Amino acid sequence: MTIELPGNTDLYTAEVGSFFDANIYVDGLADFGGFDFNLTYNSANLSAELLTSASIFGADTETFANSISTVGGGKIHFAEAISATSTLEAGLNITAPTLLGTVKFKALNAALNNPLNITNPIVYSFDGTSLAGSLRGANVTIIPAQDPAPVPVPAAAFLFAPGLLAIFGRRNRNTIVKG
């Protein structure tokens, strides 16, 4: 299982207030029948906004209480399997990176080293046998929001103000002379 951030990397820099996606992939699994794991993150600096399943098992997907919680520092529970009522006779053979789901995060506070880690993973085959594999988390650095670049003022704007002063100045002089 791996977590990939924008740019298909496990390292990412986000500005405070920006949103980004963390994609969760599996690869190299024969007879893949289901998964159950937690994704942990620092809820003081990141807000998990939405968990979207890729429904890897199609119409035969059974979901198990997927949730986002900030209790204990930030945890996402994500679990799915081939439904017990499925007509499938075997699990999926995963030979290339395959998306399990996506978490949309919001960067809250500037801070270095905000790990996204997969914890307590259970990956199993169609018959419930545990499958072994490797894990790779990701890391987000959050920087302060950058001020937008100033918009240059056209030269005509600099001529507008003196023109107005000339018009109003002439009008005031004419009023004084007539009075």
Side-chain angles (χ1 to χ4, degrees), residues 19-96:
F19 293 87
F20 64 92
D21 290 340
N23 295 316
I24 305 158
Y25 290 92
V26 291
D27 192 4
L29 297 172
D31 197 30
F32 180 48
F35 61 90
D36 185 342
F37 64 88
N38 293 314
L39 189 147
T40 59
Y41 62 97
N42 182 339
S43 62
N45 297 328
L46 294 169
S47 172
E49 303 287 312
L50 180 67
L51 168 62
T52 306
S53 170
S55 299
I56 190 171
F57 304 113
D60 293 308
T61 298
E62 188 171 334
T63 303
F64 303 99
N66 294 336
S67 63
I68 298 173
S69 171
T70 57
V71 176
K75 180 173 78 172
I76 298 165
H77 179 250
F78 192 25
E80 292 182 350
I82 295 175
S83 172
T85 59
S86 169
T87 58
L88 294 175
E89 295 180 7
L92 305 176
N93 288 318
I94 307 294
T95 59

